[in-house]
Amino acid sequence: MTSSPGFRTEERRCCWANRSIVLLLSTLLSAVVNSASGQDPSANFGAPAVWRELEDEILRHVNEIRRQPAVFAERFLVPLKAARQRVPESAAEPFEAYKLILNPGHRHDYLWISERRDDRQDEELSLALIDETINALRETRPLPAWTRNDVLDRAARFFSHDFLSGGKERPDHVDRFGRRPGQRIATFGATRRGLDEWKRICDQMNDRRQIVLRIYRDEETFFRVEYPTPNRCRYYSVPEHLGQFVMDHGHEATLPVLDRPGFECAVSVEPSTRRIASGETSIEYPLPLPVLGENVVWGKWSREWAARGLVCWWLIDPGIPDRGHRKLLLDPDYRFVGVGCAWSPEIGWVATLDCATDPLEPHEPVASKNQESPAPRPKSVR
């Protein structure tokens, strides 16, 4: 049946009216859910801009700790200890934990501090842990602030988002592909030395994209040898699995100039994927990485107190015997850092902190003299 223009207009009004009712109900329901969870109903925690703001706040808190550790202890941790709450309140009941309340107005804004002894939560140890953290900061000399690094940022963001899908059930610091931090960070970048080394290999390929790798071993360390001129050699330490690959697939030889026993192996090179192959076997050419460290934490803090909660949790480090998270924050050797945050209603905030002793640079297309055009940039898993 054909409808008149007037009918179509009324139908459209009806449609918008129904949509408005649905939207209103949805908004009210969302407000109820957010109120029950203690979250700010006006905040869009799923927005990347919010995650980036939180990353900046986390780094600001960490650098405050590094620049003035004693001041941070007096300003933030001492008041938290003074206002601690025993759980349960009655001393006649078995101790469970101390709650350090960050914000009384939000039911998730607290730190749950609990240490175990003889398979039970121990009140004395838990209180001692708070004191230990305060004293550790008082005794730590001021440290240089960390410099943010784009490669480490990307690696940290990847892991925080990856953690949202089953991270709590996996081994610590292992992503969905089974990679630990070093292997994972290596997919995003490497040191300038490592990138230059790979470029030299690509420059030395013949027309069939082949090169001879030469390796020798000095005690437990493998070295790769290259010859810029017939009478000159250079050598670089390389990871064990690269040296073992050359030994397993090559043959023994006396290395020129060095005049010492080693191994030679002719390999095919794929610049775009950074893989070397001998016959049917291949490995990704390992680029040297600096010393790396990683902290990860998650919780349902409010947006306002999330950065403080995440960082203070790393500082106090309850349940971690060696206080490894705190040691990383106060390590004088780390100089570069990446921060990555994500959020989900089920887990709350996830923050990853990736640190390195040296700066990392992103993988770049390699333009070798044996290639007509630069190799495509390797794809990072996002």
Side-chain angles (χ1 to χ4, degrees):
M1 181 177 69
T2 303
S3 301
S4 68
F7 180 82
R8 286 199 297 273
T9 302
E10 289 301 327
E11 186 178 47
R12 190 178 298 117
R13 287 175 183 166
C14 243
C15 177
W16 280 110
N18 289 336
R19 187 178 302 172
S20 299
I21 293 171
V22 171
L23 181 61
L24 176 61
L25 291 175
S26 174
T27 302
L28 290 173
L29 179 60
S30 176
V32 171
V33 171
N34 286 326
S35 177
S37 67
Q39 298 288 11
D40 178 0
S42 65
N44 181 9
F45 297 131
V50 176
W51 308 335
R52 301 297 177 264
E53 290 174 358
L54 182 58
E55 292 169 5
D56 292 342
E57 289 178 25
I58 289 172
L59 183 56
R60 186 162 62 249
H61 285 311
V62 170
N63 277 335
E64 284 178 16
I65 294 168
R66 289 179 63 86
R67 289 194 194 99
Q68 297 181 305
V71 172
F72 191 93
E74 301 301 330
R75 185 178 297 170
F76 299 115
L77 296 186
V78 171
L80 279 178
K81 177 197 170 186
R84 69 187 183 277
Q85 295 181 4
R86 186 186 190 275
V87 181
E89 292 184 12
S90 173
E93 298 182 60
F95 174 80
E96 293 181 22
Y98 279 119
K99 287 178 72 171
L100 305 186
I101 306 298
L102 298 166
N103 170 29
H106 189 285
R107 69 189 186 97
H108 290 302
D109 280 346
Y110 65 87
L111 302 174
W112 184 269
I113 308 302
S114 179
E115 292 289 281
R116 296 179 66 85
R117 177 173 12 197
D118 300 329
D119 295 327
R120 65 182 177 84
Q121 308 300 334
D122 190 284
E123 184 168 0
E124 182 180 344
L125 285 179
S126 300
L127 182 58
L129 172 58
I130 304 171
D131 289 329
E132 174 204 330
T133 306
I134 293 171
N135 291 332
L137 291 180
R138 286 170 173 167
E139 295 170 2
T140 299
R141 61 179 178 82
L143 299 165
W146 276 338
T147 300
R148 201 153 184 188
N149 179 265
D150 181 63
V151 171
L152 293 171
D153 268 348
R154 290 167 54 213
R157 286 167 184 161
F158 167 81
F159 189 71
S160 286
H161 286 274
D162 181 76
F163 190 92
L164 295 178
S165 57
K168 291 194 292 185
E169 285 72 45
R170 301 187 203 125
D172 292 344
H173 302 282
V174 175
D175 68 15
R176 74 181 81 169
F177 303 106
R179 301 176 302 188
R180 295 195 61 78
Q183 185 182 6
R184 182 173 68 247
I185 293 171
T187 65
F188 292 91
T191 60
R192 172 43 52 191
R193 171 198 161 196
L195 296 173
D196 288 344
E197 181 176 320
W198 176 244
K199 185 177 184 300
R200 282 197 301 270
I201 286 181
C202 293
D203 287 341
Q204 294 166 12
M205 294 185 305
N206 61 25
D207 294 338
R208 292 177 294 173
R209 290 192 174 183
Q210 293 178 330
I211 186 175
V212 175
L213 294 182
R214 297 176 174 88
I215 294 287
Y216 77 91
R217 188 172 187 172
D218 189 355
E219 295 182 349
E220 299 302 316
T221 304
F222 285 95
F223 293 88
R224 185 179 75 81
V225 184
E226 63 178 36
Y227 295 93
T229 65
N231 298 316
R232 184 176 167 220
C233 72
R234 293 185 294 211
Y235 49 92
Y236 312 87
S237 61
V238 295
E240 181 180 357
H241 63 282
L242 175 62
Q244 197 63 51
F245 182 87
V246 174
M247 289 177 60
D248 291 344
H249 297 86
H251 61 274
E252 294 187 41
T254 299
L255 299 181
V257 184
L258 283 177
D259 193 27
R260 64 178 299 161
F263 290 82
E264 294 183 348
C265 183
V267 298
S268 300
V269 179
E270 180 45 64
S272 63
T273 58
R274 212 173 70 248
R275 296 197 74 81
I276 59 172
S278 176
E280 299 297 319
T281 308
S282 70
I283 62 169
E284 184 175 300
Y285 189 90
L287 299 182
L289 285 173
V291 177
L292 301 168
E294 181 172 271
N295 277 356
V296 182
V297 70
W298 65 94
K300 293 188 176 182
W301 289 281
S302 68
R303 171 64 190 87
E304 180 183 2
W305 289 91
R308 183 70 52 77
L310 294 161
V311 170
C312 286
W313 185 269
W314 280 329
L315 267 182
I316 301 175
D317 220 2
I320 307 298
D322 69 350
R323 315 301 174 207
H325 297 93
R326 183 199 307 163
K327 288 179 180 177
L328 185 144
L329 296 184
L330 302 177
D331 193 313
D333 293 329
Y334 290 123
R335 297 188 299 145
F336 299 91
V337 67
V339 189
C341 292
W343 179 87
S344 76
E346 296 77 21
I347 294 179
W349 299 105
V350 180
T352 300
L353 198 72
D354 283 330
C355 304
T357 54
D358 298 284
L360 298 181
E361 298 183 24
H363 294 301
E364 300 171 352
V366 177
S368 124
K369 62 184 180 183
N370 300 303
Q371 293 174 267
E372 295 181 0
S373 60
R377 182 184 296 272
K379 293 182 179 179
S380 298
V381 181
R382 297 294 293 175

